Every structure is written in C-alpha cells, then in structure tokens.
Amino acid sequence: MRRLRLGPRGLAALACGALLLALGAWASYPGLVGLGVALLLAVAVGVVGVVVPIPVELRRSVRPVRVPRLSDCVATLSVRNTSGWLPVTASGYDLVAGRRLRFDLPRLAPGASERTELPIPTHRRGEIEFGPLTLHRSALADLAEVSQVYGERTTVVVEPRILDAAGLPAGTRRGHAGADERIAHGGTDLVALREYLPGDDLRRLHWATSARRGALMVREDADPSAPHLTVLLDDRAGSYAGEGFEEAVDVAASLLAAAAAEASPSRVVTRSGGLDVATTAPPAGTPTGIDPELLGRLALLGTVEGDGTGPRPFAGSPDILVIVTGAGAGLAELLAEAGAAPVGVIAVVDDDPDRLVGATQGVTVLRGPRAEEIVHAWRAAVAR
C-alpha cells in the first residue's frame, strides 16, 4: 500500500506557481508566466520522481517472541536495495504498541543491504503488537513524498518475571497417597511397625517395641508431602500505585515457580475470581517450571475496578496461603484470611516500607517496593 502526497514546500510551490502563472497571463508579463511554469514543472518532476515504487526488499525478525518483563527484546529489520542502478535513501517508522518508532536508513547503493534493530518495550506485561512498517521517500527539495507500507502485524508476549524464591515452607499433610491428615512440620510420621526382614535399614529399628515384643521391629514412616501452595493475587486497581501490580504478578509467578521446582501442588486465585488455576506438576521440559498456558494467562492479567469480591477461594483451608497485594489494601481483612491457614503470608508491594519482614497476629508480612525485595524477604524469612 502506497500513499503519495505533497509536502509543505510542494504545496507552497504549487500555489505560488499557479498564482504567478495567472498573474503573468493577466498582466501579459512573460517573466511571471515563465516563473510560474517553472515552479509547476518542479512540482511535477518531484511527483514523478516518487511515483516509482521504492525498490527495496524488507525482512523483519523478532527475538524472542515470549519474553519476561524487563528483559531485552529487539526487532531486526533487514532492508535491501533491489534496484540495479538506482540508489535509495529512505526513512521510516514501525508501530510498536501504538507508538511510532522512527529509524533512518543510510543511502543504499544498488544491490546493497542494511540491518537495523528496534527495541521492543517490555516494562509491562501483555501482548505487544508492532507493525506494519512504513517507509518514506522524499522528492527533490522535499516537494513531494511517498509512504509505502510493508509487512504485517506481529505480536510479542511479555510474561511476568520468574525470580528465585528458593523454596517453600514444610508441608502439613501426610505423604502417602490418598491421605489428607495433618502432621507436624518437618521430620517423618510413624504410620506402622512390622517385623525386621533381612536387608532392612538397622537405623529404622524401633528399640522400645522390639524390647517389649522380644523381636526386632522396624518403623514404617511416611514423609510429609510436598507443601500445598495457594497464592491469592489481589487484582483490585485501588490496591496499587504506579507499576505495583506488575511487581505483584512477578511475585506470584515466582512463588508458583518455586512450588513447581519442588513438584508441589499449587493454586493461583485472583481476588476478583477472574483467574483460578490449580496445578500439580509442571510439563516436562518447561524452562520456567510453570505451565506456558498459565504463564500466558498471567501475562494478560489486568486489574479490576471496585472491591473485586469474587467467590471465596479458600474452601478446605489451604496448606500455605500467600496473599499478594499492594499498599492501598486494608490489612485487617487480609490478616484474618491468612491467619486461617497453617502457614499464612502477606506480600505487600509498598513503595515506602518501614521494614521488609514483620509478623502480625501470627502472619508473616513481607514488604518491598519491587518483586526482588519481596522475594529476597521470602527466602530469608519463609522458605526452608
């Protein structure tokens, strides 16, 4: 698609040429007529000079197409002059997230090529559309210019960052299949005793029972299961200031990745109820440990207006409950919710925290202006 138009100089030359031609003809003044004709001819030559399509071949590539927030992402443009005799000088712009990114191509000799890179902004999550590309070429003295559109729209998905949260607190459920009984944190739980068989680990002998029964008895233990993590993400717009919600989603994604690294079941729920996803084990070969589909949904997650009162997400009492919110949220209700879980944590994105780690009503409260500080506090005060 091409669009031809006269520039400001071209419009002025066209108007002046027509006026001088008219005045010269009316006054029978050949000099004015000649000057008017010259200006009109200059405009015509400029238009003819840009009517010919820009003889370029353009290719664009993007790396990568899925990128964590704040990571580098660039679009590479390769332009080649396909003409065998005509040099090309052009400029242009690419539409990136609705914003024009301008670039200038150096003078391309016949058959020459040039590469340039355009940075893709990744400070916010979501789908970033860019393209199509528009090239401009101007005529002599900028009397006229032609715009030519190349390519199609391309999309880059900016996902939340995955920070190293190190791990989770100890679980509070039995490790054997089908059980849902609570046990103490850490260690093992004695579930049965049996007689010693050749090859059993002597360290598992239960000496007190062996002495009473007069036969060697061996413990059968069950390890506590992997922790069951529930992340409640506050998606109310009033809870955050500035880019606070971006940091909150980074925290939530990092905790889900920590659970996936330990093969622990996890669940993420938004306050509005718009997102409710439970996971058991990450797909094999997943780089971040999180299901790409879930990561994509987190990338597109936005805030909601109002109080965001969705369905109650905590039926059955979660094992480990982490509420991720902003400084604008009231902590009284959140403390009651977090305190109902065996392990309750509130992570607050706060631009001006008085301290990074605190405890209120038996609930650990982590504060920080960015996801890095909150995850660091998690590693120091919560993760085992």
Side-chain angles (χ1 to χ4, degrees):
M1 183 176 64
R2 292 192 302 151
R3 187 179 67 176
L4 174 68
R5 69 182 184 90
L6 295 178
R9 293 181 182 179
L11 292 174
L14 181 63
C16 291
L19 180 61
L20 291 175
L21 182 60
L23 288 176
W26 176 75
S28 299
Y29 193 167
L32 289 179
V33 172
L35 184 57
V37 170
L39 288 175
L40 294 177
L41 284 176
V43 173
V45 170
V47 170
V48 171
V50 294
V51 164
V52 179
I54 304 175
V56 297
E57 179 184 79
L58 188 143
R59 295 180 180 178
R60 175 169 53 190
S61 61
V62 184
R63 61 179 191 275
V65 294
R66 294 176 70 105
V67 58
R69 191 173 71 91
L70 300 180
S71 296
D72 293 333
C73 183
V74 295
T76 302
L77 302 175
S78 299
V79 184
R80 185 173 70 88
N81 184 358
T82 59
S83 174
W85 61 276
L86 179 66
V88 172
T89 301
S91 62
Y93 64 85
D94 206 355
L95 284 177
V96 179
R99 185 168 57 95
R100 292 185 176 185
L101 290 183
R102 180 181 172 83
F103 63 91
D104 294 301
L105 292 175
R107 182 180 177 87
L108 293 178
S113 61
E114 183 70 23
R115 297 181 62 187
T116 185
E117 291 186 344
L118 295 176
I120 305 297
T122 60
H123 61 284
R124 285 199 167 201
R125 295 167 299 105
E127 290 184 346
I128 298 180
E129 285 192 353
F130 60 96
L133 180 77
T134 302
L135 284 183
H136 298 284
R137 185 177 59 166
S138 299
L140 179 66
D142 292 334
L143 296 177
E145 70 172 19
V146 65
S147 300
Q148 192 164 340
V149 178
Y150 294 84
E152 300 177 351
R153 288 180 173 85
T154 309
T155 300
V156 170
V157 179
V158 180
E159 301 172 335
R161 293 179 296 165
I162 305 297
L163 305 174
D164 183 14
L168 303 176
T172 59
R173 304 178 192 267
R174 293 190 187 275
H176 53 279
D180 192 29
E181 303 172 48
R182 299 304 175 111
I183 61 175
H185 291 274
T188 58
D189 184 38
L190 175 63
V191 295
L193 290 171
R194 62 172 175 82
E195 291 189 2
Y196 173 82
L197 296 175
D200 285 339
D201 188 351
L202 294 178
R203 292 174 298 180
R204 300 180 61 189
L205 289 173
H206 196 273
W207 294 107
T209 305
S210 300
R212 288 197 306 269
R213 300 189 59 174
L216 294 177
M217 303 297 294
V218 177
R219 296 173 54 101
E220 284 192 344
D221 298 326
D223 294 329
S225 69
H228 291 56
L229 172 69
T230 298
V231 177
L232 171 62
L233 179 59
D234 189 353
D235 58 348
R236 296 173 294 183
S239 299
Y240 302 94
E243 302 292 326
F245 187 64
E246 302 296 324
E247 303 293 336
V249 178
D250 289 349
V251 172
S254 300
L255 297 180
L256 293 173
E262 297 189 358
S264 298
S266 63
R267 182 184 180 193
V268 57
V269 184
T270 56
R271 172 64 67 181
S272 65
L275 179 67
D276 186 350
V277 179
T279 62
T280 53
T286 304
T288 61
I290 302 181
D291 187 341
E293 181 179 352
L294 174 57
L295 204 57
R297 294 184 65 178
L298 289 174
L300 302 179
L301 194 63
T303 56
V304 297
E305 299 296 334
D307 57 3
T309 53
R312 301 298 295 177
F314 310 131
S317 180
D319 190 12
I320 301 168
L321 173 61
V322 181
I323 302 177
V324 184
T325 185
L331 287 184
E333 178 184 359
L334 302 182
L335 285 170
E337 291 176 329
V343 179
V345 179
I346 299 178
V348 184
V349 179
D350 189 348
D351 290 336
D352 188 23
D354 52 355
R355 54 183 175 175
L356 293 181
V357 181
T360 304
Q361 300 178 17
V363 176
T364 302
V365 180
L366 311 177
R367 292 180 178 272
R370 300 182 306 163
E372 287 87 345
E373 286 81 8
I374 296 177
V375 171
H376 174 73
W378 171 274
R379 292 197 301 264
V382 180
R384 65 171 184 265

